[in-house]
Amino acid sequence: FAAVGPDATICAGTTLQLNGSGGNTYAWQPPFPILSNTAIPNPVFGPAAVGTYTVSAQVTNAALCTDRDTTLITVAPLPIANPGPNQSLCLGDSVQIGTPAQPNMDYTWAPAFGLSDPLIAQPWFTGLLTGTYNLSLVVVDMGTSAACSDTASVTVTVVDTPQVALTAVGDTICLGNSSMISAIPSGGLLPYSYVWSNAQTTASQAVTPTATTTYTATITDASNCRTSGNVTVVVNDTATL
């Protein structure tokens, strides 16, 4: 009796070792190159294009009696791992990576550091430390028995966020007088740009408030990372005689 094994599913780009039995000589179909050798008991199937193949062997014994057995081999397509484009973000910020989930796919990201969930298609990555991170995505197609997989990676760069200290030379003034307020940034990447709550764009400015006022300065560095701070100038009424 000829036997060539059960039906099977393999992934595109892989091979399958066949194991025929039941006789002395073998004549397999289809011919080379899908099968490595059509005259041996255990030829190798593939690699072959995606599709379903009927593979059979005619087996002959010493008495020249023959029998034939057939199996179906399905070559399943590979899933496509798409981690999305490379990203850059500021220290402490978060960015979503990956692309929308596809049916029947399992997702695994590594390393898990900084990820909201390493087992979903589009986790959030939080820049907890500065540096360059190479995140690998493995996608496994659970819709076929072969569980075909694909791997790809994305690079996320976390850059330093500037800090700022705000000062006021004359933080308490009399009505009608002026105070010099300044934003003093550090860290991040030069140059800095400045935007104050009163629409000024210099690092320092003289202000003459008519009442106690809090000024906010937002500093942006060359990496487009932002920080802000506040300074309050207290205004006292001028004494009258």
Side-chain angles (χ1 to χ4, degrees), residues 7-11 74 76 141-148:
D7 296 347
T9 299
I10 63 174
C11 302
T74 299
D141 184 356
M142 304 305 296
T144 67
S145 60
C148 301

Side-chain angles (χ1 to χ4, degrees), residues 72 137 143 157 161:
L72 295 179
L137 170 63
T157 302
T161 299

Side-chain angles (χ1 to χ4, degrees), residues 16-74:
L16 177 66
Q17 180 80 59
L18 300 174
N19 291 289
S21 62
N24 298 84
T25 62
Y26 296 82
W28 291 84
Q29 291 289 335
F32 179 86
I34 294 179
L35 295 174
S36 61
N37 190 323
T38 60
I40 60 175
N42 55 349
V44 174
F45 173 90
V50 171
T52 299
Y53 297 81
T54 300
V55 177
S56 65
Q58 179 173 295
V59 178
T60 304
N61 65 11
L64 301 182
C65 299
T66 64
D67 189 28
R68 181 179 292 274
D69 190 25
T70 299
T71 185
L72 295 179
I73 300 176
T74 299

Side-chain angles (χ1 to χ4, degrees), residues 3 6 19 23 49 52 74 98 105 111 118 138 196 226 236 239:
N19 291 289
T52 299
T74 299
M105 300 296 173
V138 178
W196 291 84
R226 293 181 176 86
N236 291 326

Side-chain angles (χ1 to χ4, degrees), residues 165-228:
L166 268 67
T167 63
V169 178
D171 57 356
T172 301
I173 60 174
C174 295
L175 182 63
N177 290 342
S178 297
S179 174
M180 180 62 70
I181 58 175
S182 300
I184 306 172
S186 60
L189 184 65
L190 295 173
Y192 306 111
S193 62
Y194 305 82
V195 176
W196 291 84
S197 53
N198 61 357
Q200 297 300 307
T201 57
T202 57
S204 300
Q205 59 172 308
V207 294
T208 309
T210 58
T212 297
T213 302
T214 297
Y215 297 90
T216 300
T218 300
I219 288 83
T220 305
D221 73 355
S223 297
N224 205 37
C225 295
R226 293 181 176 86
T227 189
S228 61

Side-chain angles (χ1 to χ4, degrees), residues 109-187:
W109 293 86
F113 177 75
L115 293 177
S116 60
D117 187 343
L119 300 180
I120 61 175
Q122 290 183 284
W124 286 86
F125 178 86
T126 300
L128 302 175
L129 297 171
T130 59
T132 299
Y133 299 85
N134 188 56
L135 302 172
S136 176
L137 170 63
V138 178
V139 178
V140 180
D141 184 356
M142 304 305 296
T144 67
S145 60
C148 301
S149 65
D150 188 32
T151 302
S153 61
V154 64
T155 298
V156 180
T157 302
V158 181
V159 297
D160 193 18
T161 299
Q163 306 297 316
V164 64
L166 268 67
T167 63
V169 178
D171 57 356
T172 301
I173 60 174
C174 295
L175 182 63
N177 290 342
S178 297
S179 174
M180 180 62 70
I181 58 175
S182 300
I184 306 172
S186 60

